Amino acid sequence: MRKDHLLVSLFLSTILCSAEQANAQSKSTAIAAIRQEEIKKDLFTLADDHFRGREAGTPDELKAAMWLAEQARKAGLEPAGDDGTYFQFYPLIRERVGDRSTVKIGNRTFDLWKDVIIWEPCFATVDAPIVFVTNPDHVDAETIKGKVVALQFTEQGQSDPRKVIPWRYVSFVVRDWALKLANKGAKAILFVSDDRAEQAWNRAIPDRIRGTYRIEGRPSRQYLNGIPIVWVKKEALDLVRQPNQTFQANVYGEAFTYPSVNVVAKVKGTDAKLANEYVLFSAHTDHDGVREVEPGKDSILNGADDNATACAALLAIGRAFHKQPAKRSALFIWHGAEERGLLGSYYFAEHPTVPAQSLVAVLNADMIGMNAPDSAGLLGITPPHLNSADLANIALAENAKGPKFKLDTAWDKATHFEGFYFRSDHLPYVRKNIPAIFFTTLTHPLYHTPADEAATINIEKLTKMTKWMYATGFSVANAPERPKIVEGFKLEK
Ligand SMILES: [Zn+2]
């Protein structure tokens, strides 16, 4: 290298160094605004019984959203929702089985939600003989055409490890078999419990009464259209199996809308040009509300880890950006109705309140305060889920500089049985080809139970996760170039 070149390069590296130092310095000033005590306070408030589990489709989610917007305002964030507010409201469409629906087997009338569960809403009148089958794979269309197919839940052919949890076992058997039998011409499908399915009965009732949710433009979540799926308890097995048995049902569906809301806030960037681009920090407000899981026990699912942890983290990150804005703007979204099928994030991805092209990266967090203190998950960093190597590398570098979490590598794999990558709010953005990663400390035995309470959260770990997410976002927001999408990126499903 010639001397003048050396001088130029020394000069350049001095400038670059000082720019990086300034970046690091401003980052460390701002990171002091992320305080464990404040995170703890926000977490405990949001996960309190006061908000009754923040269920989408109830006033409780809206109440929690109002509280979050007020905290965002206090943190110095500007509104970035509709019409100069912190809110983006959208209609949830709820579809459920009508209470007038009736089921009769032989001469016995079954009481809806007591002796019989109707799996999903539809409009159907059925009066047909029952044919009992033992294996839906080994039955031909000729045998079942125009008949009601009855079968007992069985583990046969269910090699999925999820079957160990009765509720999931039931869900997967229904999903797999109902469709097969409907395609072969069944008029209705009648499931009878085995011992394992019977264990899921009490949990299934409130779930099926609740029904399913969608938003305009997203498909209905019913498996079958116009073919009732009915489930009775094990005690009805003999009745169902009687020769020449008959089945009658009138099934009705109901649909109505209810508002849900995304809370949207921002901190403007400092660079005249880059301020028009946004780094999106994402969490979800809602959880599973009040359910009768076990009579006499706590029935409120407060969702402290899922996802009050990330809601509190976003407020803390917001305070840090307010103290020290980056070149690009920071956008904060507390999504609604995640537990009902990522509906808030699908809605925002379809109707962004900032230009869609201006979203440079999505940093989503869901459940970030449990499990071993030194481990974490970062999803979206393993092909085929890796949609931006640039973004993944920044997050990995910030982990190496900061918390040094041992990163789980199993849950991001396409072969992992939980399919966890597909279960949080980054997904709708990934489908829009926006670079995205998913911060999480993964599931645990308290997941989606009333025991997911604030007192069980490791606040120190939650604070580390918050700082890591902040540092990643701050680096992305100050980088000269926006993260690129991996060429040929395509999800496996
Ligand atoms: Zn969640």
Coordinates of all heavy atoms in Angstrom, one line a residue, residues 362 380-392 421 426 429-437 483-487 489-491:
V362 N -38.7 -5.8 10.9 CA -39.6 -6.1 12.0 C -38.9 -6.9 13.0 O -38.3 -8.0 12.7 CB -40.8 -6.9 11.5 CG1 -41.7 -7.3 12.6 CG2 -41.6 -6.1 10.4
G380 N -36.0 -17.1 12.7 CA -35.9 -16.4 11.5 C -34.4 -16.2 11.1 O -34.0 -15.4 10.3
I381 N -33.6 -17.1 11.7 CA -32.1 -17.1 11.3 C -31.6 -18.4 10.7 O -30.5 -18.5 10.4 CB -31.3 -16.7 12.6 CG1 -31.4 -17.8 13.6 CG2 -31.7 -15.4 13.2 CD1 -30.3 -17.7 14.7
T382 N -32.6 -19.3 10.5 CA -32.2 -20.6 9.9 C -33.0 -20.8 8.6 O -34.3 -20.7 8.7 CB -32.6 -21.7 10.9 OG1 -32.1 -21.4 12.2 CG2 -31.9 -23.1 10.4
P383 N -32.4 -21.1 7.5 CA -33.2 -21.3 6.3 C -34.1 -22.5 6.5 O -33.8 -23.4 7.3 CB -32.2 -21.7 5.2 CG -30.9 -21.1 5.7 CD -31.0 -21.2 7.2
P384 N -35.3 -22.5 6.0 CA -35.9 -21.5 5.1 C -36.6 -20.3 5.8 O -37.2 -19.5 5.1 CB -37.0 -22.4 4.4 CG -37.5 -23.3 5.4 CD -36.2 -23.7 6.3
H385 N -36.4 -20.2 7.1 CA -37.0 -19.0 7.8 C -36.1 -17.8 7.7 O -36.7 -16.7 8.1 CB -37.3 -19.4 9.3 CG -38.1 -20.6 9.4 ND1 -38.1 -21.4 10.5 CD2 -39.0 -21.2 8.6 CE1 -39.0 -22.4 10.4 NE2 -39.5 -22.3 9.2
L386 N -34.9 -17.9 7.4 CA -34.0 -16.7 7.3 C -34.4 -15.9 6.1 O -34.2 -16.3 5.0 CB -32.6 -17.2 7.1 CG -31.5 -16.1 6.9 CD1 -31.2 -15.4 8.2 CD2 -30.2 -16.7 6.3
N387 N -35.0 -14.7 6.4 CA -35.4 -13.9 5.2 C -34.5 -12.7 5.0 O -34.5 -12.1 4.0 CB -36.9 -13.5 5.3 CG -37.2 -12.3 6.1 OD1 -36.5 -12.0 7.1 ND2 -38.3 -11.6 5.8
S388 N -33.6 -12.4 6.0 CA -32.6 -11.4 5.9 C -31.4 -11.7 6.7 O -31.4 -11.7 7.9 CB -33.2 -10.0 6.3 OG -32.1 -9.1 6.3
A389 N -30.3 -12.1 6.0 CA -29.1 -12.4 6.6 C -28.5 -11.2 7.3 O -27.9 -11.2 8.4 CB -28.1 -13.0 5.6
D390 N -28.7 -10.0 6.6 CA -28.2 -8.7 7.2 C -28.8 -8.5 8.6 O -28.1 -8.2 9.6 CB -28.7 -7.5 6.3 CG -28.0 -7.6 5.0 OD1 -27.0 -8.4 4.8 OD2 -28.4 -6.8 4.1
L391 N -30.1 -8.7 8.7 CA -30.8 -8.5 10.0 C -30.4 -9.5 11.0 O -30.1 -9.2 12.2 CB -32.3 -8.5 9.7 CG -33.2 -8.3 11.0 CD1 -32.9 -7.0 11.7 CD2 -34.7 -8.4 10.6
A392 N -30.4 -10.8 10.6 CA -30.0 -11.8 11.5 C -28.6 -11.6 12.1 O -28.3 -11.7 13.3 CB -30.0 -13.2 10.8
Y421 N -42.2 -21.0 14.5 CA -41.9 -19.8 13.6 C -43.2 -19.2 13.0 O -43.3 -18.0 12.8 CB -41.0 -20.2 12.5 CG -40.7 -19.1 11.6 CD1 -39.7 -18.1 11.9 CD2 -41.3 -18.9 10.3 CE1 -39.5 -17.0 11.1 CE2 -41.1 -17.8 9.5 CZ -40.1 -16.9 9.9 OH -39.9 -15.8 9.1
H426 N -44.5 -11.7 13.5 CA -43.6 -11.3 12.4 C -44.1 -11.9 11.1 O -43.8 -11.4 10.0 CB -42.2 -11.8 12.7 CG -42.2 -13.3 13.1 ND1 -42.6 -13.7 14.3 CD2 -42.0 -14.4 12.3 CE1 -42.6 -15.1 14.3 NE2 -42.2 -15.5 13.1
Y429 N -45.7 -10.0 8.2 CA -44.7 -9.1 7.6 C -43.7 -9.9 6.7 O -43.3 -9.4 5.6 CB -44.0 -8.3 8.6 CG -44.9 -7.5 9.5 CD1 -45.4 -7.9 10.7 CD2 -45.4 -6.3 9.0 CE1 -46.3 -7.2 11.4 CE2 -46.3 -5.5 9.7 CZ -46.7 -6.0 10.9 OH -47.6 -5.2 11.7
V430 N -43.3 -11.1 7.2 CA -42.4 -12.0 6.4 C -43.1 -12.3 5.0 O -42.5 -12.2 4.0 CB -42.1 -13.2 7.1 CG1 -41.4 -14.2 6.3 CG2 -41.3 -12.9 8.4
R431 N -44.4 -12.5 5.1 CA -45.2 -12.9 3.9 C -45.2 -11.7 2.9 O -45.6 -11.8 1.8 CB -46.6 -13.4 4.2 CG -46.6 -14.7 5.0 CD -47.8 -15.5 4.8 NE -47.9 -16.7 5.6 CZ -47.3 -17.8 5.4 NH1 -46.5 -18.0 4.4 NH2 -47.4 -18.9 6.2
K432 N -45.0 -10.5 3.5 CA -44.9 -9.3 2.6 C -43.5 -8.9 2.2 O -43.2 -7.8 1.8 CB -45.5 -8.1 3.4 CG -47.0 -8.2 3.6 CD -47.8 -7.7 2.4 CE -49.3 -7.8 2.6 NZ -50.0 -7.7 1.3
N433 N -42.6 -9.9 2.5 CA -41.2 -9.7 2.1 C -40.5 -8.6 2.9 O -39.7 -7.9 2.3 CB -41.0 -9.5 0.6 CG -40.5 -10.8 0.0 OD1 -40.1 -11.7 0.7 ND2 -40.5 -10.8 -1.3
I434 N -40.8 -8.4 4.1 CA -40.1 -7.5 5.0 C -39.2 -8.2 5.9 O -39.6 -9.2 6.5 CB -41.1 -6.6 5.8 CG1 -42.1 -5.9 4.8 CG2 -40.4 -5.7 6.7 CD1 -43.3 -5.3 5.5
P435 N -37.9 -7.8 6.0 CA -37.0 -8.5 6.9 C -37.5 -8.6 8.3 O -38.0 -7.6 8.8 CB -35.7 -7.6 6.8 CG -35.8 -7.0 5.5 CD -37.3 -6.7 5.2
A436 N -37.4 -9.8 8.9 CA -38.0 -9.9 10.2 C -37.3 -11.0 11.0 O -36.9 -12.0 10.5 CB -39.5 -10.3 10.1
I437 N -37.2 -10.8 12.3 CA -36.8 -11.8 13.3 C -37.7 -11.8 14.5 O -38.4 -10.9 14.7 CB -35.3 -11.6 13.7 CG1 -35.0 -10.1 14.0 CG2 -34.3 -12.2 12.8 CD1 -33.7 -9.8 14.6
P483 N -31.6 -3.5 5.7 CA -31.3 -4.9 5.5 C -31.9 -5.5 4.3 O -33.1 -5.1 3.9 CB -31.9 -5.6 6.8 CG -32.5 -4.6 7.6 CD -32.3 -3.2 7.0
K484 N -31.2 -6.3 3.6 CA -31.7 -6.9 2.3 C -32.4 -8.2 2.6 O -32.2 -8.9 3.6 CB -30.5 -7.2 1.4 CG -29.9 -5.9 0.8 CD -28.8 -6.3 -0.2 CE -27.6 -6.9 0.4 NZ -26.8 -6.0 1.3
I485 N -33.3 -8.6 1.7 CA -34.0 -9.9 1.7 C -33.1 -10.9 1.1 O -32.5 -10.6 0.1 CB -35.4 -9.7 1.0 CG1 -36.4 -9.0 1.8 CG2 -35.9 -11.1 0.6 CD1 -37.1 -9.7 2.9
V486 N -33.1 -12.1 1.7 CA -32.3 -13.2 1.1 C -32.9 -13.5 -0.3 O -34.1 -13.6 -0.5 CB -32.4 -14.4 2.0 CG1 -31.9 -15.7 1.3 CG2 -31.6 -14.2 3.3
E487 N -32.0 -13.6 -1.3 CA -32.4 -13.9 -2.6 C -33.1 -15.2 -2.7 O -32.6 -16.2 -2.2 CB -31.2 -13.8 -3.6 CG -31.6 -13.3 -4.9 CD -30.4 -13.1 -5.8 OE1 -29.4 -12.5 -5.4 OE2 -30.4 -13.8 -6.9
F489 N -35.8 -16.1 -1.3 CA -36.5 -16.5 0.0 C -37.9 -17.1 -0.2 O -38.7 -16.5 -0.9 CB -36.5 -15.3 0.9 CG -37.4 -15.5 2.2 CD1 -36.9 -16.4 3.2 CD2 -38.7 -15.0 2.3 CE1 -37.7 -16.6 4.3 CE2 -39.5 -15.2 3.4 CZ -39.0 -16.1 4.4
K490 N -38.1 -18.2 0.4 CA -39.4 -18.8 0.3 C -39.7 -19.7 1.5 O -38.9 -20.6 1.8 CB -39.5 -19.7 -1.0 CG -41.0 -20.1 -1.4 CD -41.0 -20.8 -2.7 CE -42.4 -21.1 -3.2 NZ -43.1 -22.0 -2.3
L491 N -40.8 -19.4 2.2 CA -41.1 -20.3 3.4 C -41.6 -21.7 2.9 O -42.1 -21.8 1.8 CB -42.2 -19.6 4.2 CG -41.8 -18.4 5.0 CD1 -43.0 -17.8 5.7 CD2 -40.7 -18.7 6.0

